Amino acid sequence: MTNRHAQPPGDPGRRPNRLAGETSPYLLQHAHNPVDWYPWGDEAFARACAEDKPILLSVGYATCHWCHVMERESFEDEAIARQLAEGFVAIKVDREELPDVDHVYMSALQAITGQGGWPMNMFLTPQLAPFFGGTYFPPRPRPGGMASFSQVLAAVREAWLQRRDDVEQQARALLDHLRSGESLPARSPSAGLHQRAVAQIASRFDSTHGGFGRAPKFPQAPLLQYLLSLAACGDAEARTMLLVSLREMSAGGVYDHVGGGFARYSTDERWHVPHFEKMLYDNAQLARVYAGAHALTGEPRLRFVAEDTLDYLLREMHPAAAPAAFSSAQDADAEGVEGRFHVWTMAEWRHVLGADAEAAARLYGVSEGGNWEHGHNVLERRDAEALRQALGMDAHAFAAWERAVRERLYAARSQRVWPITDDKVLADWNGMALRAFAEAGRLLDRDDFVQAATRLADFLLATLCRDRRVHHAWRNGSLRDEAYLSDHAQLGLGLVELHAATGDLRWLAAAQAVCERMVDGFHDAGEGFFDNRSTPLPMRARDLQDGAVPSGAAAACELLLRLAAVVDRADWADIARATLERHGTPMEEAAMAVPALLHAQLLAQRGAELAVPSGAGSEALWADARSGFAPLVTLVHAPAGSLPLLEGRRAGEAYLCRQGRCELPVRSVLQLREQRARVSSGTAD
């Protein structure tokens, strides 16, 4: 099977624009537009200043459905291209490649319109100050007052030429508003924080279908990870919300029942019809959650989903130029149609499955008329146990039958036109994958997963760690200059987990080096963490809220807390605690928006280190520590005296330490389990 990587349209009759020299698959998709695109950079800024023209900043990503639509409708249009050339300097940005640019201007768009999304089309002064914007604009006016893109361009140009003072005043006011929103008074989290957070989360919980809020419904992996850690601490309500959500998500169409892995979100509240693109960050995080939930509960289906998701990444998401790393995303579209690759008609179903078609149709919700549009079916898996009993199979035989059905469906689907794959390698998303493979390999006893994590760590350290920083993006041998807080934090966390899976001290040493660079590059003693370094942007990026991924500040706090005691850096713990105190207000008032910060605060409150010095007599203790599920415990396995935490320790004993105080050493697996249970027991304060 060959993956189809994102490629430019390649119109041989049209001269390529400046984007042809870029490496981003998204930019290359626009390299043959008639629009005179610039990449983000000084050349474009200088031209805007020299010609006194506003900038059209258009931001999207390679697997964005509506980005494809707007390209076809507007950016391939010669008249639109002329209109842009006359009045604007046009800049195209891949949001995944430049997340700080995306964040600053998305914040501005949300302030202007109350909502955001991609494609994002923002209008800036030559000094990069935003003053107007929107998302998708249609090629022609639509009922209800929605202007066409051409009309928007004309109106913005007229305002720029005729009412410049008003435009510049609006830009100044917008920037003042954005900057003021970053100033929150410090507020220490108070007793009972996590009970209050659970109550806030429960108020949005869908007890019928799982998940939170209404359609469209996103997996919200950072929130699920927080609930998993609370459940491991004994919180029954968190456990219920977690397990209902995981079961319902993996039963619905948002999960790929043929190839494994999760789509980005569901368009409905019951997880039935997905937006079909698959993102590395979703699948890495969700695999971790499912693996941990299996370790917590022993439910076989949770283990299956964790393994199936990671097997999908191993099978389909390796870039050809970097077989140890993972690509960013797979598109929702194939042959220009969203979902075409994934859905089935009953006729196709029968052709592939023959005598098994009717039973498999019952298993996956396939019908003659279709359960989606135009007679197509999105696969679900909601009545497996009833079907197993009806077929008279035991669990083993049923699993073997279903596996054979999936293999036949996968082989048939592989003959279709594949969605494009955005094969750039991003440090933070690959850091999440590193952590997922290492942790799942450890908890599920999958050595192949640990080996995949080891190969990935070697690649990331050798290829993306240059010039004393972790660079954000790499593709086909080209390394971009940008580096972000989340790149360092997520890679560091992945390395810490890889040490837990292997007991190899070099991964902890690498994590310590990454953490040092993170603090040096992104932390300000007076203002806390920023997401980026110095930048031409009108303000430095800082986002405390979790989207589909944890905020950089939250991930940084977790890394600092996990390493501080291990390497005797009390100043790192102080930085983390000061950051959490600085952001106590959103933790108290907006739990749904900052679950990763809450998770870091839970770690600060209840975290522990479990040290098992390597050597004779330690084998059984380390095997038990390595396979145990304790999400707030950081594992260390190295020769006595090789780390500050291991000074004066002896092989053949295990040491559980918390808040600078260690329990008495234990010498048996039973004692270790009892000690570990005491640390995890009881709900969080």
PDB file of all heavy atoms in Angstrom, residues 343-375:
ATOM      1  N   VAL A 343     -16.496   5.545   3.096  1.00  0.00           N
ATOM      2  CA  VAL A 343     -17.896   5.106   3.180  1.00  0.00           C
ATOM      3  C   VAL A 343     -18.187   4.005   2.165  1.00  0.00           C
ATOM      4  O   VAL A 343     -17.434   3.790   1.212  1.00  0.00           O
ATOM      5  CB  VAL A 343     -18.851   6.298   2.980  1.00  0.00           C
ATOM      6  CG1 VAL A 343     -18.639   7.325   4.079  1.00  0.00           C
ATOM      7  CG2 VAL A 343     -18.669   6.940   1.605  1.00  0.00           C
ATOM      8  N   TRP A 344     -19.327   3.329   2.368  1.00  0.00           N
ATOM      9  CA  TRP A 344     -19.662   2.139   1.590  1.00  0.00           C
ATOM     10  C   TRP A 344     -21.131   2.162   1.174  1.00  0.00           C
ATOM     11  O   TRP A 344     -22.000   2.519   1.970  1.00  0.00           O
ATOM     12  CB  TRP A 344     -19.436   0.868   2.428  1.00  0.00           C
ATOM     13  CG  TRP A 344     -18.044   0.720   2.937  1.00  0.00           C
ATOM     14  CD1 TRP A 344     -17.499   1.314   4.025  1.00  0.00           C
ATOM     15  CD2 TRP A 344     -17.008  -0.069   2.349  1.00  0.00           C
ATOM     16  NE1 TRP A 344     -16.183   0.949   4.172  1.00  0.00           N
ATOM     17  CE2 TRP A 344     -15.846   0.094   3.159  1.00  0.00           C
ATOM     18  CE3 TRP A 344     -16.943  -0.912   1.234  1.00  0.00           C
ATOM     19  CZ2 TRP A 344     -14.648  -0.550   2.872  1.00  0.00           C
ATOM     20  CZ3 TRP A 344     -15.738  -1.551   0.959  1.00  0.00           C
ATOM     21  CH2 TRP A 344     -14.612  -1.370   1.760  1.00  0.00           C
ATOM     22  N   THR A 345     -21.389   1.725  -0.040  1.00  0.00           N
ATOM     23  CA  THR A 345     -22.752   1.372  -0.429  1.00  0.00           C
ATOM     24  C   THR A 345     -22.965  -0.101  -0.125  1.00  0.00           C
ATOM     25  O   THR A 345     -22.013  -0.866   0.029  1.00  0.00           O
ATOM     26  CB  THR A 345     -22.999   1.626  -1.920  1.00  0.00           C
ATOM     27  OG1 THR A 345     -22.164   0.736  -2.679  1.00  0.00           O
ATOM     28  CG2 THR A 345     -22.711   3.072  -2.297  1.00  0.00           C
ATOM     29  N   MET A 346     -24.226  -0.501  -0.064  1.00  0.00           N
ATOM     30  CA  MET A 346     -24.510  -1.912   0.202  1.00  0.00           C
ATOM     31  C   MET A 346     -24.006  -2.790  -0.933  1.00  0.00           C
ATOM     32  O   MET A 346     -23.541  -3.921  -0.698  1.00  0.00           O
ATOM     33  CB  MET A 346     -26.014  -2.107   0.419  1.00  0.00           C
ATOM     34  CG  MET A 346     -26.382  -3.463   0.986  1.00  0.00           C
ATOM     35  SD  MET A 346     -25.627  -3.726   2.616  1.00  0.00           S
ATOM     36  CE  MET A 346     -26.497  -5.153   3.213  1.00  0.00           C
ATOM     37  N   ALA A 347     -24.048  -2.284  -2.154  1.00  0.00           N
ATOM     38  CA  ALA A 347     -23.558  -3.070  -3.286  1.00  0.00           C
ATOM     39  C   ALA A 347     -22.057  -3.334  -3.152  1.00  0.00           C
ATOM     40  O   ALA A 347     -21.579  -4.458  -3.389  1.00  0.00           O
ATOM     41  CB  ALA A 347     -23.861  -2.353  -4.600  1.00  0.00           C
ATOM     42  N   GLU A 348     -21.294  -2.307  -2.779  1.00  0.00           N
ATOM     43  CA  GLU A 348     -19.855  -2.501  -2.565  1.00  0.00           C
ATOM     44  C   GLU A 348     -19.611  -3.488  -1.429  1.00  0.00           C
ATOM     45  O   GLU A 348     -18.723  -4.350  -1.503  1.00  0.00           O
ATOM     46  CB  GLU A 348     -19.204  -1.158  -2.220  1.00  0.00           C
ATOM     47  CG  GLU A 348     -19.173  -0.147  -3.347  1.00  0.00           C
ATOM     48  CD  GLU A 348     -18.738   1.228  -2.883  1.00  0.00           C
ATOM     49  OE1 GLU A 348     -19.073   1.617  -1.732  1.00  0.00           O
ATOM     50  OE2 GLU A 348     -18.061   1.916  -3.658  1.00  0.00           O
ATOM     51  N   TRP A 349     -20.400  -3.356  -0.395  1.00  0.00           N
ATOM     52  CA  TRP A 349     -20.270  -4.214   0.779  1.00  0.00           C
ATOM     53  C   TRP A 349     -20.452  -5.690   0.404  1.00  0.00           C
ATOM     54  O   TRP A 349     -19.638  -6.540   0.775  1.00  0.00           O
ATOM     55  CB  TRP A 349     -21.316  -3.776   1.791  1.00  0.00           C
ATOM     56  CG  TRP A 349     -21.184  -4.288   3.177  1.00  0.00           C
ATOM     57  CD1 TRP A 349     -21.897  -5.308   3.746  1.00  0.00           C
ATOM     58  CD2 TRP A 349     -20.308  -3.799   4.196  1.00  0.00           C
ATOM     59  NE1 TRP A 349     -21.532  -5.476   5.048  1.00  0.00           N
ATOM     60  CE2 TRP A 349     -20.552  -4.558   5.356  1.00  0.00           C
ATOM     61  CE3 TRP A 349     -19.362  -2.791   4.243  1.00  0.00           C
ATOM     62  CZ2 TRP A 349     -19.867  -4.344   6.546  1.00  0.00           C
ATOM     63  CZ3 TRP A 349     -18.676  -2.573   5.428  1.00  0.00           C
ATOM     64  CH2 TRP A 349     -18.932  -3.340   6.559  1.00  0.00           C
ATOM     65  N   ARG A 350     -21.501  -5.964  -0.336  1.00  0.00           N
ATOM     66  CA  ARG A 350     -21.767  -7.358  -0.731  1.00  0.00           C
ATOM     67  C   ARG A 350     -20.687  -7.882  -1.666  1.00  0.00           C
ATOM     68  O   ARG A 350     -20.289  -9.061  -1.595  1.00  0.00           O
ATOM     69  CB  ARG A 350     -23.140  -7.452  -1.404  1.00  0.00           C
ATOM     70  CG  ARG A 350     -24.320  -7.226  -0.460  1.00  0.00           C
ATOM     71  CD  ARG A 350     -25.623  -7.665  -1.115  1.00  0.00           C
ATOM     72  NE  ARG A 350     -26.759  -7.482  -0.222  1.00  0.00           N
ATOM     73  CZ  ARG A 350     -27.643  -6.484  -0.324  1.00  0.00           C
ATOM     74  NH1 ARG A 350     -27.511  -5.578  -1.300  1.00  0.00           N
ATOM     75  NH2 ARG A 350     -28.638  -6.387   0.526  1.00  0.00           N
ATOM     76  N   HIS A 351     -20.213  -7.036  -2.545  1.00  0.00           N
ATOM     77  CA  HIS A 351     -19.182  -7.467  -3.493  1.00  0.00           C
ATOM     78  C   HIS A 351     -17.911  -7.894  -2.761  1.00  0.00           C
ATOM     79  O   HIS A 351     -17.274  -8.886  -3.138  1.00  0.00           O
ATOM     80  CB  HIS A 351     -18.871  -6.333  -4.475  1.00  0.00           C
ATOM     81  CG  HIS A 351     -17.767  -6.650  -5.427  1.00  0.00           C
ATOM     82  ND1 HIS A 351     -17.935  -7.529  -6.487  1.00  0.00           N
ATOM     83  CD2 HIS A 351     -16.465  -6.215  -5.480  1.00  0.00           C
ATOM     84  CE1 HIS A 351     -16.794  -7.622  -7.149  1.00  0.00           C
ATOM     85  NE2 HIS A 351     -15.890  -6.842  -6.562  1.00  0.00           N
ATOM     86  N   VAL A 352     -17.561  -7.181  -1.718  1.00  0.00           N
ATOM     87  CA  VAL A 352     -16.326  -7.476  -0.990  1.00  0.00           C
ATOM     88  C   VAL A 352     -16.496  -8.653  -0.044  1.00  0.00           C
ATOM     89  O   VAL A 352     -15.623  -9.528   0.053  1.00  0.00           O
ATOM     90  CB  VAL A 352     -15.857  -6.233  -0.208  1.00  0.00           C
ATOM     91  CG1 VAL A 352     -14.683  -6.572   0.710  1.00  0.00           C
ATOM     92  CG2 VAL A 352     -15.477  -5.114  -1.164  1.00  0.00           C
ATOM     93  N   LEU A 353     -17.637  -8.733   0.654  1.00  0.00           N
ATOM     94  CA  LEU A 353     -17.779  -9.686   1.748  1.00  0.00           C
ATOM     95  C   LEU A 353     -18.569 -10.937   1.409  1.00  0.00           C
ATOM     96  O   LEU A 353     -18.530 -11.916   2.173  1.00  0.00           O
ATOM     97  CB  LEU A 353     -18.416  -8.988   2.958  1.00  0.00           C
ATOM     98  CG  LEU A 353     -17.587  -7.866   3.588  1.00  0.00           C
ATOM     99  CD1 LEU A 353     -18.344  -7.236   4.742  1.00  0.00           C
ATOM    100  CD2 LEU A 353     -16.228  -8.387   4.054  1.00  0.00           C
ATOM    101  N   GLY A 354     -19.302 -10.928   0.321  1.00  0.00           N
ATOM    102  CA  GLY A 354     -20.006 -12.134  -0.086  1.00  0.00           C
ATOM    103  C   GLY A 354     -20.925 -12.679   0.977  1.00  0.00           C
ATOM    104  O   GLY A 354     -21.801 -11.978   1.498  1.00  0.00           O
ATOM    105  N   ALA A 355     -20.702 -13.936   1.381  1.00  0.00           N
ATOM    106  CA  ALA A 355     -21.592 -14.607   2.322  1.00  0.00           C
ATOM    107  C   ALA A 355     -21.576 -13.968   3.714  1.00  0.00           C
ATOM    108  O   ALA A 355     -22.525 -14.135   4.484  1.00  0.00           O
ATOM    109  CB  ALA A 355     -21.208 -16.088   2.429  1.00  0.00           C
ATOM    110  N   ASP A 356     -20.516 -13.250   4.031  1.00  0.00           N
ATOM    111  CA  ASP A 356     -20.431 -12.593   5.340  1.00  0.00           C
ATOM    112  C   ASP A 356     -21.067 -11.212   5.352  1.00  0.00           C
ATOM    113  O   ASP A 356     -21.090 -10.544   6.404  1.00  0.00           O
ATOM    114  CB  ASP A 356     -18.963 -12.452   5.762  1.00  0.00           C
ATOM    115  CG  ASP A 356     -18.333 -13.791   6.121  1.00  0.00           C
ATOM    116  OD1 ASP A 356     -18.999 -14.577   6.815  1.00  0.00           O
ATOM    117  OD2 ASP A 356     -17.188 -14.032   5.704  1.00  0.00           O
ATOM    118  N   ALA A 357     -21.582 -10.761   4.221  1.00  0.00           N
ATOM    119  CA  ALA A 357     -22.023  -9.371   4.105  1.00  0.00           C
ATOM    120  C   ALA A 357     -23.160  -9.040   5.060  1.00  0.00           C
ATOM    121  O   ALA A 357     -23.158  -7.971   5.694  1.00  0.00           O
ATOM    122  CB  ALA A 357     -22.435  -9.062   2.668  1.00  0.00           C
ATOM    123  N   GLU A 358     -24.147  -9.901   5.181  1.00  0.00           N
ATOM    124  CA  GLU A 358     -25.321  -9.567   5.989  1.00  0.00           C
ATOM    125  C   GLU A 358     -24.973  -9.482   7.473  1.00  0.00           C
ATOM    126  O   GLU A 358     -25.385  -8.552   8.173  1.00  0.00           O
ATOM    127  CB  GLU A 358     -26.437 -10.595   5.756  1.00  0.00           C
ATOM    128  CG  GLU A 358     -26.943 -10.639   4.325  1.00  0.00           C
ATOM    129  CD  GLU A 358     -27.400  -9.279   3.808  1.00  0.00           C
ATOM    130  OE1 GLU A 358     -28.047  -8.523   4.585  1.00  0.00           O
ATOM    131  OE2 GLU A 358     -27.097  -8.964   2.640  1.00  0.00           O
ATOM    132  N   ALA A 359     -24.201 -10.457   7.964  1.00  0.00           N
ATOM    133  CA  ALA A 359     -23.806 -10.408   9.372  1.00  0.00           C
ATOM    134  C   ALA A 359     -22.912  -9.199   9.643  1.00  0.00           C
ATOM    135  O   ALA A 359     -23.072  -8.501  10.644  1.00  0.00           O
ATOM    136  CB  ALA A 359     -23.087 -11.698   9.759  1.00  0.00           C
ATOM    137  N   ALA A 360     -21.973  -8.926   8.738  1.00  0.00           N
ATOM    138  CA  ALA A 360     -21.082  -7.776   8.917  1.00  0.00           C
ATOM    139  C   ALA A 360     -21.851  -6.467   8.819  1.00  0.00           C
ATOM    140  O   ALA A 360     -21.521  -5.491   9.489  1.00  0.00           O
ATOM    141  CB  ALA A 360     -19.959  -7.826   7.888  1.00  0.00           C
ATOM    142  N   ALA A 361     -22.896  -6.437   7.988  1.00  0.00           N
ATOM    143  CA  ALA A 361     -23.723  -5.230   7.889  1.00  0.00           C
ATOM    144  C   ALA A 361     -24.432  -4.955   9.207  1.00  0.00           C
ATOM    145  O   ALA A 361     -24.565  -3.802   9.633  1.00  0.00           O
ATOM    146  CB  ALA A 361     -24.734  -5.377   6.757  1.00  0.00           C
ATOM    147  N   ARG A 362     -24.882  -6.008   9.851  1.00  0.00           N
ATOM    148  CA  ARG A 362     -25.511  -5.831  11.161  1.00  0.00           C
ATOM    149  C   ARG A 362     -24.495  -5.328  12.185  1.00  0.00           C
ATOM    150  O   ARG A 362     -24.808  -4.469  13.014  1.00  0.00           O
ATOM    151  CB  ARG A 362     -26.114  -7.155  11.618  1.00  0.00           C
ATOM    152  CG  ARG A 362     -26.803  -7.077  12.977  1.00  0.00           C
ATOM    153  CD  ARG A 362     -27.491  -8.387  13.322  1.00  0.00           C
ATOM    154  NE  ARG A 362     -27.929  -8.398  14.719  1.00  0.00           N
ATOM    155  CZ  ARG A 362     -28.468  -9.440  15.334  1.00  0.00           C
ATOM    156  NH1 ARG A 362     -28.661 -10.577  14.647  1.00  0.00           N
ATOM    157  NH2 ARG A 362     -28.834  -9.383  16.600  1.00  0.00           N
ATOM    158  N   LEU A 363     -23.276  -5.846  12.118  1.00  0.00           N
ATOM    159  CA  LEU A 363     -22.243  -5.431  13.062  1.00  0.00           C
ATOM    160  C   LEU A 363     -21.903  -3.955  12.904  1.00  0.00           C
ATOM    161  O   LEU A 363     -21.753  -3.231  13.897  1.00  0.00           O
ATOM    162  CB  LEU A 363     -20.977  -6.272  12.854  1.00  0.00           C
ATOM    163  CG  LEU A 363     -19.760  -5.896  13.714  1.00  0.00           C
ATOM    164  CD1 LEU A 363     -20.059  -6.072  15.196  1.00  0.00           C
ATOM    165  CD2 LEU A 363     -18.539  -6.739  13.309  1.00  0.00           C
ATOM    166  N   TYR A 364     -21.815  -3.483  11.655  1.00  0.00           N
ATOM    167  CA  TYR A 364     -21.313  -2.132  11.389  1.00  0.00           C
ATOM    168  C   TYR A 364     -22.395  -1.151  10.944  1.00  0.00           C
ATOM    169  O   TYR A 364     -22.079  -0.053  10.485  1.00  0.00           O
ATOM    170  CB  TYR A 364     -20.205  -2.184  10.340  1.00  0.00           C
ATOM    171  CG  TYR A 364     -18.954  -2.882  10.830  1.00  0.00           C
ATOM    172  CD1 TYR A 364     -18.489  -4.038  10.208  1.00  0.00           C
ATOM    173  CD2 TYR A 364     -18.237  -2.386  11.915  1.00  0.00           C
ATOM    174  CE1 TYR A 364     -17.338  -4.682  10.639  1.00  0.00           C
ATOM    175  CE2 TYR A 364     -17.088  -3.019  12.367  1.00  0.00           C
ATOM    176  CZ  TYR A 364     -16.643  -4.168  11.720  1.00  0.00           C
ATOM    177  OH  TYR A 364     -15.502  -4.798  12.166  1.00  0.00           O
ATOM    178  N   GLY A 365     -23.661  -1.520  11.081  1.00  0.00           N
ATOM    179  CA  GLY A 365     -24.736  -0.574  10.820  1.00  0.00           C
ATOM    180  C   GLY A 365     -24.939  -0.224   9.364  1.00  0.00           C
ATOM    181  O   GLY A 365     -25.413   0.872   9.049  1.00  0.00           O
ATOM    182  N   VAL A 366     -24.602  -1.130   8.456  1.00  0.00           N
ATOM    183  CA  VAL A 366     -24.726  -0.877   7.018  1.00  0.00           C
ATOM    184  C   VAL A 366     -26.115  -1.283   6.549  1.00  0.00           C
ATOM    185  O   VAL A 366     -26.613  -2.363   6.894  1.00  0.00           O
ATOM    186  CB  VAL A 366     -23.643  -1.658   6.244  1.00  0.00           C
ATOM    187  CG1 VAL A 366     -23.826  -1.509   4.738  1.00  0.00           C
ATOM    188  CG2 VAL A 366     -22.260  -1.184   6.666  1.00  0.00           C
ATOM    189  N   SER A 367     -26.758  -0.431   5.747  1.00  0.00           N
ATOM    190  CA  SER A 367     -28.106  -0.720   5.264  1.00  0.00           C
ATOM    191  C   SER A 367     -28.204  -0.427   3.774  1.00  0.00           C
ATOM    192  O   SER A 367     -27.357   0.258   3.191  1.00  0.00           O
ATOM    193  CB  SER A 367     -29.144   0.111   6.023  1.00  0.00           C
ATOM    194  OG  SER A 367     -28.975   1.489   5.726  1.00  0.00           O
ATOM    195  N   GLU A 368     -29.269  -0.940   3.174  1.00  0.00           N
ATOM    196  CA  GLU A 368     -29.478  -0.765   1.735  1.00  0.00           C
ATOM    197  C   GLU A 368     -29.616   0.712   1.373  1.00  0.00           C
ATOM    198  O   GLU A 368     -29.052   1.190   0.389  1.00  0.00           O
ATOM    199  CB  GLU A 368     -30.737  -1.523   1.307  1.00  0.00           C
ATOM    200  CG  GLU A 368     -30.849  -1.743  -0.189  1.00  0.00           C
ATOM    201  CD  GLU A 368     -29.885  -2.798  -0.703  1.00  0.00           C
ATOM    202  OE1 GLU A 368     -29.838  -3.905  -0.129  1.00  0.00           O
ATOM    203  OE2 GLU A 368     -29.163  -2.486  -1.670  1.00  0.00           O
ATOM    204  N   GLY A 369     -30.379   1.452   2.175  1.00  0.00           N
ATOM    205  CA  GLY A 369     -30.587   2.861   1.876  1.00  0.00           C
ATOM    206  C   GLY A 369     -29.483   3.772   2.362  1.00  0.00           C
ATOM    207  O   GLY A 369     -29.437   4.951   2.009  1.00  0.00           O
ATOM    208  N   GLY A 370     -28.573   3.223   3.166  1.00  0.00           N
ATOM    209  CA  GLY A 370     -27.477   4.012   3.693  1.00  0.00           C
ATOM    210  C   GLY A 370     -27.849   4.718   4.984  1.00  0.00           C
ATOM    211  O   GLY A 370     -29.016   5.012   5.242  1.00  0.00           O
ATOM    212  N   ASN A 371     -26.862   4.960   5.821  1.00  0.00           N
ATOM    213  CA  ASN A 371     -27.092   5.704   7.067  1.00  0.00           C
ATOM    214  C   ASN A 371     -26.498   7.099   7.004  1.00  0.00           C
ATOM    215  O   ASN A 371     -26.422   7.797   8.007  1.00  0.00           O
ATOM    216  CB  ASN A 371     -26.539   4.934   8.273  1.00  0.00           C
ATOM    217  CG  ASN A 371     -25.033   4.714   8.202  1.00  0.00           C
ATOM    218  OD1 ASN A 371     -24.303   5.429   7.519  1.00  0.00           O
ATOM    219  ND2 ASN A 371     -24.557   3.703   8.926  1.00  0.00           N
ATOM    220  N   TRP A 372     -26.044   7.492   5.810  1.00  0.00           N
ATOM    221  CA  TRP A 372     -25.518   8.840   5.602  1.00  0.00           C
ATOM    222  C   TRP A 372     -26.184   9.388   4.358  1.00  0.00           C
ATOM    223  O   TRP A 372     -27.372   9.167   4.136  1.00  0.00           O
ATOM    224  CB  TRP A 372     -23.989   8.798   5.514  1.00  0.00           C
ATOM    225  CG  TRP A 372     -23.329  10.157   5.542  1.00  0.00           C
ATOM    226  CD1 TRP A 372     -23.702  11.237   6.280  1.00  0.00           C
ATOM    227  CD2 TRP A 372     -22.183  10.558   4.787  1.00  0.00           C
ATOM    228  NE1 TRP A 372     -22.848  12.289   6.035  1.00  0.00           N
ATOM    229  CE2 TRP A 372     -21.906  11.909   5.132  1.00  0.00           C
ATOM    230  CE3 TRP A 372     -21.352   9.912   3.872  1.00  0.00           C
ATOM    231  CZ2 TRP A 372     -20.833  12.626   4.567  1.00  0.00           C
ATOM    232  CZ3 TRP A 372     -20.292  10.623   3.334  1.00  0.00           C
ATOM    233  CH2 TRP A 372     -20.037  11.963   3.668  1.00  0.00           C
ATOM    234  N   GLU A 373     -25.476  10.066   3.515  1.00  0.00           N
ATOM    235  CA  GLU A 373     -26.077  10.706   2.352  1.00  0.00           C
ATOM    236  C   GLU A 373     -25.809   9.903   1.084  1.00  0.00           C
ATOM    237  O   GLU A 373     -24.829   9.163   0.982  1.00  0.00           O
ATOM    238  CB  GLU A 373     -25.529  12.132   2.193  1.00  0.00           C
ATOM    239  CG  GLU A 373     -24.017  12.207   2.112  1.00  0.00           C
ATOM    240  CD  GLU A 373     -23.485  13.626   2.164  1.00  0.00           C
ATOM    241  OE1 GLU A 373     -24.132  14.492   2.784  1.00  0.00           O
ATOM    242  OE2 GLU A 373     -22.415  13.871   1.584  1.00  0.00           O
ATOM    243  N   HIS A 374     -26.741  10.023   0.125  1.00  0.00           N
ATOM    244  CA  HIS A 374     -26.606   9.412  -1.200  1.00  0.00           C
ATOM    245  C   HIS A 374     -26.420   7.895  -1.130  1.00  0.00           C
ATOM    246  O   HIS A 374     -25.702   7.297  -1.934  1.00  0.00           O
ATOM    247  CB  HIS A 374     -25.435  10.025  -1.977  1.00  0.00           C
ATOM    248  CG  HIS A 374     -25.444  11.525  -2.008  1.00  0.00           C
ATOM    249  ND1 HIS A 374     -26.532  12.252  -2.465  1.00  0.00           N
ATOM    250  CD2 HIS A 374     -24.514  12.432  -1.618  1.00  0.00           C
ATOM    251  CE1 HIS A 374     -26.256  13.548  -2.361  1.00  0.00           C
ATOM    252  NE2 HIS A 374     -25.050  13.678  -1.846  1.00  0.00           N
ATOM    253  N   GLY A 375     -27.080   7.276  -0.160  1.00  0.00           N
ATOM    254  CA  GLY A 375     -27.032   5.818  -0.066  1.00  0.00           C
ATOM    255  C   GLY A 375     -25.752   5.251   0.498  1.00  0.00           C
ATOM    256  O   GLY A 375     -25.534   4.036   0.448  1.00  0.00           O
TER     257      GLY A 375
END
